[in-house]
């Protein structure tokens, strides 16, 4: 082998390596360009569809609405709020509802349940059922004696009338982890009317999701009984329906007598979240959650 051939071997190897590198880089460039073209075509197609929809007189929000209406299969547990980090919380799962219990206040932070049309009636009525301590939570805890001569009703959050479909559910609705001290006039009046309205909505719509609980404003709170059960200053209820086009609405009731139209208590779910510090319906897709939680129109439900 002469000297010229010896020199040519490494040069050939170097050239082959360079060509391979060029081919690799070329492939990467082709791939990157292809992805960019695909992205641009997708964007163009989306914009074109929007323009055609607008020209046809369709709702510009069709994409969001379509996605919302596509919630045919609502996630399990959609009624459960996000975990609380600013207060005590013990989650208790019952036959009909889930409750977040606060051992500091001896109250539920919230109670959440799904109410279907089938669950709005049943043979299991409240007659003969006593209110009961919930032995699944630590002492001190609320007892019947705390309410005796307190001037307050033992107010249900998940109502007894929502639990007639099951004997076990009916009995569990009388556990004190589902109860708050409530003004009698409110309990028997406007609060009861809203409970009845929710059952009507469930019958009409097929299914709704409800979260209810006490509101404790800043400052010192009144308590009742030996176990110092806190008396809420107000109560909230938020309602979600995912049948068809999703919608939600919130209500806030002061813990005092009142005889007012339901519309006077209406708030958006966003506003109830701001007041309570609770994040409702976090399992919903973000765009759907943002849309329905900003609404505060009782006419959408009538």
């Amino acid at each position: 082998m002469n000297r010229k051939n010896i020199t040519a071997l490494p040069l050939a190897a170097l050239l082959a390596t360079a060509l391979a590198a060029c081919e690799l880089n070329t492939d990467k460039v082709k791939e990157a360009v292809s992805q960019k073209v695909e992205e641009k075509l997708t964007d163009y197609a989306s914009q074109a569809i929007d323009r055609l929809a607008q020209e046809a007189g369709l709702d510009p929000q069709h994409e969001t609405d379509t996605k919302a209406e596509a919630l045919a299969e609502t996630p399990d547990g959609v009624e459960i709020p996000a975990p609380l980090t600013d207060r005590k919380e013990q989650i208790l799962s019952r036959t009909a509802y889930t409750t977040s219990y606060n051992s500091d206040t001896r109250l539920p932070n919230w109670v959440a349940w799904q109410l279907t049309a089938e669950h709005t009636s049943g043979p299991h009525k409240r007659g003969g059922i006593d209110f009961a301590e919930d032995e699944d939570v630590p002492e001190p805890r609320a007892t019947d004696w705390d309410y005796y001569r307190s001037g307050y009703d033992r107010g249900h959050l998940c109502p007894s009338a929502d639990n007639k479909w099951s004997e076990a559910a009916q009995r569990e609705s009388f556990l004190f982890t589902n109860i708050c001290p409530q003004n009698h006039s409110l309990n028997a009046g406007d609060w009861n009317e809203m409970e009845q309205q929710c059952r009507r909505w469930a019958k009409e719509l097929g299914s709704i999701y409800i979260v209810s609980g006490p509101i404790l404003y800043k400052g010192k709170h009144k308590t009742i009984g030996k176990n110092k059960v806190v008396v809420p200053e107000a109560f909230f209820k938020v309602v979600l329906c995912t049948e068809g086009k999703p919608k939600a609405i919130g209500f806030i009731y002061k813990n005092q007598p009142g005889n007012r139209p339901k519309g006077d208590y209406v708030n958006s779910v966003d506003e109830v979240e701001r007041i309570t510090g609770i994040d409702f319906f976090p399992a919903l897709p973000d765009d759907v959650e943002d849309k329905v939680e900003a609404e505060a129109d009782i006419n959408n439900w009538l």
Side-chain angles (χ1 to χ4, degrees), residues 14 24 33 36 68 83 103 109 116 148 165 223 228 242 259-261 266-267 270 275 294 299:
L14 181 62
L24 179 61
V33 170
K36 210 66 180 175
S103 59
N109 295 307
T116 64
Y148 185 63
W165 57 278
T223 63
K228 299 188 181 303
T242 59
N259 183 20
R260 297 158 59 187
V266 168
N267 286 262
D270 281 339
I275 292 171
N299 292 318

Side-chain angles (χ1 to χ4, degrees), residues 106-184:
R106 326 287 194 255
L107 300 175
N109 295 307
W110 51 257
V111 177
W113 66 103
Q114 180 185 15
L115 183 61
T116 64
E118 293 77 14
H119 287 178
T120 58
S121 62
H124 305 286
K125 299 182 179 180
R126 64 184 294 166
I129 300 177
D130 294 327
F131 288 89
E133 292 181 54
D134 192 332
E135 296 182 355
D136 288 337
V137 301
E139 294 180 318
R141 58 188 177 229
T143 71
D144 217 23
W145 284 103
D146 291 315
Y147 284 81
Y148 185 63
R149 292 186 177 177
S150 69
Y152 290 93
D153 282 7
R154 296 160 294 189
H156 282 75
L157 293 180
C158 180
S160 165
D162 286 11
N163 293 280
K164 293 179 179 179
W165 57 278
S166 163
E167 181 180 359
Q170 184 64 267
R171 288 193 175 279
E172 289 170 351
S173 76
F174 283 83
L175 292 171
F176 277 112
T177 45
N178 181 46
I179 304 296
C180 288
Q182 195 167 49
N183 176 275
H184 172 71

